[in-house]
Amino acid sequence: MANYKDIIDNCKSTKGGIIEAFHALQEEFNYIPQEALTEAARVFGLSEAQAYGVATFYSYLSVEQRGKYIIRMCESAPCHVAGADEVIKAMEDYLGIKVGETTADGKFTLELCECIGQCQATPVISVNSKPIFNVTAQQIPEILGQYK
Amino acid sequence: MNMAEEMRVLLEYADKINPESAEDYIKVGGYEGLKKARSMERKDLIDEVKRSGLRGRGGAGFNAGMKWSFVPQDVPVKYVVCNLDEGEPGTYKDRMICQKNAQALLEGMAICGHAIDSNQGYIYCRGEYPFVVELLKNAIASAKSSGVLEDFDIEVRMGAGAYVCGEETALIESIEGHRGEPRFKPPFPGVEGLWGAPTVVNNVETLACLPYILVNGADWFAGIGAEKYPGTKILTLTGDINNPTYFEVPTNYTLRDVIYKLGGGIKNGKKFKAVQVGGTSGAFIPEQNLDTPIDFDSMSAIGAALGSGAVLVLDETRDIVDVVTRISKFFEHESCGKCNPCREGTFRCREMMEKINSGKGSENDMDNILLLSRVMQKAALCGLGQAAPIPIESTIKHFRHEYMRKVL
Ligand SMILES: Cc1cc2nc3c(=O)[nH]c(=O)nc-3n(C[C@H](O)[C@H](O)[C@H](O)COP(=O)(O)O)c2cc1C
Ligand code: SF4
Ligand code: FES
């Protein structure tokens, strides 16, 4: 695993680049670990409280530990009318967790999100930012079964 | 099948050229507009864009050339910022422009750069599109290495899942590495924007029109579509429609034709109930207004908005109150919390909508929502809070009977 200090150092020259650094950290760890947040605040000249304020403002960023695969279900109106609720239910049943939780083996975190801009194929979920189209409740075991 | 109905300007070469390749784009006439722009005096260039009648495609419909003319000239550093936040639910037209014709966007930014004397551009791309960020970085590298951009540089920054960051001053805050909370206006970004420097913020589609305006002339553009909002518009169709896809049409195209010609009509042979145009912050429009053209002013005249060009169609079986309740949750979730009318207002709207939707509300709740709606539209700091109650207000107006079925 890459060192969080190196990851932050790589973004140091980007003006106002703390959000870029957070993205790079999440790419590696799937969330922003506490010590990395402290380091990012130092590098970008912010107080820790300010850095925390930035990290918690954005729904894509997380300061809580998350699973290896982050599943996000779009709940916006077009996906809602296309049956998002049934897909959420199917995922909760299949994973044995509720929205916002992570499976005990640390594999999956289930989150809700708003439109991810793939509305030609509603309802849409994404797994680690990769969109999956026209999802039905029946397909959930098959789709999620592919993630090892 | 629908190509005959469409009018493709920005998407003419979709899937025929590699959007990352400057060479491909140059082969079909690309970067001629920039050449022409650079041969012009700044003032003449701004006048040409003004005369074309090009108005913002990001929702506010402001004349692009006019916006540029407010940028002071006696300041050394200025920025061109492209708004690719595209957070409005049901919208993916800016993604399509990038995936089909990214070089036109880069060319448009460089044209704007010449007009306001800036050599630094930023593209703020939403966090949900990491693959578009990659594409754009490759497209920029290709354009830079071919030399067409000369000294104009473009950097891509990524958002992180906040709808409010599409608001131009929140977007600027986010590029600066802050929480994406809107600023008080004035000062407007054109005078004091990114890092305090004059900044033009334009939508992807607005910028991508520029090369075609320069090559074909302001009169050509002004002659397409609606007189006061000329050009083409890319629409994205969702919901109960046979062809849920994107289309580029002249701006005088009517909603009815969008739904029945391009959209192929309502799915499963059902009847039409309502259409929401402009994304989740738009008004719901009933059958009797379907003959309205989609342009900015015609939509405003019926109390709706063209917005981002998203078109959500609902069939006769849909529960409007349920859909609007879902939308009210969106706004509660996305309110940045900076100002009270929106922070509290979106919370109360959601609360009252859930109450009504679950059969526990009364007509009194509806009156309260309408009162709150007036307060939010007048007192919220940014467009998010101002638009949040519009889906509720418009449905109470046009589909009151559906609410009445649910209230005590
Ligand atoms: C809550 C909110 C969200 C917005 N989202 C976007 C967006 O995603 N894309 C966009 O181009 N404009 C968006 N806008 C409009 C921008 O503030 C701004 O008007 C626009 O980028 C200007 O570009 P234009 O003149 O080319 O339309 C949003 C406005 C508000 C209030
Ligand atoms: S209207 Fe809403 S989103 Fe806009 S500044 Fe106020 S609280 Fe934030
Ligand atoms: S509404 Fe779900 S992806 Fe756009």
Side-chain angles (χ1 to χ4, degrees):
Chain A
M1 249 193 193
N3 180 301
Y4 68 84
K5 287 197 173 146
D6 296 338
I7 295 175
I8 296 167
D9 212 55
N10 270 336
C11 303
K12 190 170 71 181
S13 60
T14 305
K15 201 173 172 189
I18 195 166
I19 296 171
E20 296 291 312
F22 286 156
H23 275 300
L25 288 163
Q26 285 210 158
E27 186 83 9
E28 185 68 29
F29 305 108
N30 263 354
Y31 78 112
I32 306 162
Q34 172 64 45
E35 60 277 16
L37 188 111
T38 309
E39 173 70 5
R42 193 188 63 76
V43 168
F44 289 97
L46 303 177
S47 73
E48 211 174 311
Q50 283 170 324
Y52 184 80
V54 174
T56 52
F57 183 84
Y58 297 93
S59 70
Y60 226 68
L61 305 177
S62 173
V63 294
E64 311 277 339
Q65 192 156 3
R66 291 188 292 187
K68 182 173 169 199
Y69 299 110
I70 298 160
I71 309 167
R72 306 188 106 203
M73 171 87 230
C74 170
E75 272 204 297
S76 288
C79 282
H80 176 77
V81 299
D85 285 353
E86 285 122 69
V87 180
I88 297 170
K89 175 116 200 348
M91 289 197 288
E92 286 182 336
D93 288 349
Y94 178 78
L95 299 170
I97 55 173
K98 294 273 163 221
V99 166
E101 296 175 351
T102 299
T103 51
D105 60 2
K107 212 159 103 179
F108 292 106
T109 298
L110 182 58
E111 296 181 350
L112 298 178
C113 67
E114 296 296 346
C115 178
I116 62 167
Q118 301 289 348
C119 336
Q120 74 284 2
T122 54
V124 183
I125 66 170
S126 70
V127 180
N128 288 356
S129 293
K130 183 180 165 284
I132 302 171
F133 305 124
N134 294 314
V135 177
T136 63
Q138 292 74 22
Q139 291 170 336
I140 286 301
E142 191 195 322
I143 292 170
L144 298 185
Q146 289 167 13
Y147 294 90
K148 302 292 176 203
Chain B
M1 130 191 97
N2 289 305
M3 293 290 272
E5 285 290 330
E6 283 191 77
M7 173 169 182
R8 291 197 164 194
V9 176
L10 306 188
L11 299 177
E12 185 180 358
Y13 294 101
D15 305 315
K16 293 180 192 137
I17 55 170
N18 172 0
E20 289 184 359
S21 162
E23 281 73 46
D24 269 28
Y25 180 62
I26 289 166
K27 274 190 210 134
V28 296
Y31 287 106
E32 287 301 319
L34 178 58
K35 243 185 242 164
K36 185 156 172 216
R38 283 187 169 147
S39 73
M40 295 166 79
E41 289 296 322
R42 299 211 156 84
K43 191 182 161 302
D44 297 339
L45 173 56
I46 291 177
D47 282 345
E48 178 82 354
V49 174
K50 253 192 222 169
R51 229 164 40 79
S52 77
L54 172 65
R55 289 166 66 188
R57 301 300 197 238
F62 200 80
N63 181 294
M66 186 83 84
K67 186 189 280 193
W68 300 358
S69 71
F70 299 144
V71 174
Q73 279 308 305
D74 51 351
V75 186
V77 181
K78 310 177 197 79
Y79 298 108
V80 176
V81 171
C82 167
N83 191 339
L84 172 48
D85 193 55
E86 190 147 83
E88 194 60 73
T91 311
Y92 56 96
K93 51 117 186 155
D94 294 337
R95 171 170 68 82
M96 294 325 299
I97 293 171
C98 294
Q99 290 182 324
K100 306 295 180 194
N101 199 10
Q103 295 289 341
L105 167 60
L106 307 185
E107 184 181 358
M109 289 180 73
I111 291 170
C112 176
H114 181 70
I116 64 160
D117 187 22
S118 159
N119 57 14
Q120 181 63 54
Y122 285 92
I123 300 175
Y124 184 84
C125 179
R126 63 185 314 211
E128 287 79 354
Y129 292 166
F131 39 89
V132 176
V133 171
E134 280 315 302
L135 184 160
L136 288 170
K137 284 183 177 167
N138 294 336
I140 293 165
S142 170
K144 279 310 262 188
S145 72
S146 76
V148 283
L149 292 181
E150 294 178 14
D151 67 344
F152 188 74
D153 287 321
I154 302 175
E155 196 181 316
V156 186
R157 291 293 183 92
M158 192 150 91
Y163 168 71
V164 69
C165 285
E167 195 282 334
E168 55 188 9
T169 61
L171 184 155
I172 287 170
E173 286 289 324
S174 186
I175 295 181
E176 292 181 358
H178 305 144
R179 291 164 68 87
E181 289 172 2
R183 296 174 177 172
F184 287 90
K185 293 192 266 194
F188 286 90
V191 178
E192 210 179 305
L194 187 57
W195 291 299
T199 304
V200 164
V201 183
N202 272 137
N203 174 257
V204 172
E205 195 177 358
T206 315
L207 291 163
C209 286
L210 294 166
Y212 305 96
I213 292 173
L214 266 293
V215 167
N216 301 308
D219 294 331
W220 165 81
F221 190 83
I224 301 171
E227 196 188 329
K228 296 217 165 81
Y229 189 85
T232 59
K233 182 80 192 75
I234 302 175
L235 307 175
T236 50
L237 269 62
T238 62
D240 302 310
I241 190 89
N242 279 318
N243 304 324
T245 184
Y246 61 93
F247 299 101
E248 182 173 1
V249 294
T251 51
N252 57 350
Y253 208 74
T254 69
L255 265 181
R256 190 179 298 281
D257 286 348
V258 169
I259 295 169
Y260 290 97
K261 284 195 178 153
L262 297 177
I266 312 298
K267 224 160 63 180
N268 302 325
K270 297 216 176 83
K271 287 205 190 84
F272 171 90
K273 179 183 271 182
V275 59
Q276 187 187 30
V277 179
T280 258
S281 57
F284 281 81
I285 299 166
E287 168 95 41
Q288 74 255 28
N289 287 338
L290 283 189
D291 293 309
T292 313
I294 58 149
D295 74 273
F296 188 91
D297 307 289
S298 304
M299 294 301 290
S300 303
I302 59 162
L306 170 60
S308 63
V311 178
L312 169 64
V313 179
L314 299 181
D315 74 29
E316 56 187 331
T317 67
R318 294 297 181 182
D319 179 346
I320 290 243
V321 181
D322 175 69
V323 175
V324 174
T325 304
R326 169 61 204 119
I327 289 172
S328 69
K329 278 188 212 159
F330 169 85
F331 286 112
E332 181 190 20
H333 183 249
E334 298 299 332
S335 168
C336 83
K338 178 166 175 160
C339 73
N340 193 303
C342 169
R343 184 181 62 243
E344 275 300 312
T346 54
F347 173 85
R348 293 298 170 198
C349 281
R350 193 269 307 150
E351 191 181 51
M352 287 189 275
M353 281 308 299
E354 278 188 344
K355 196 172 158 201
I356 294 169
N357 192 36
S358 62
K360 298 186 188 109
S362 62
E363 263 190 276
N364 192 28
D365 290 310
M366 287 163 64
D367 292 340
N368 282 338
I369 290 193
L370 291 176
L371 180 61
L372 177 58
S373 164
R374 294 218 311 272
V375 172
M376 291 169 74
Q377 289 182 48
K378 287 209 160 60
L381 175 58
C382 86
L384 189 151
Q386 291 158 13
I390 287 176
I392 308 179
E393 197 184 77
S394 63
T395 49
I396 291 183
K397 181 170 171 209
H398 295 298
F399 300 92
R400 193 179 176 88
H401 52 281
E402 301 224 357
Y403 283 80
M404 295 312 289
R405 275 209 296 269
K406 290 204 175 189
V407 296
L408 294 173

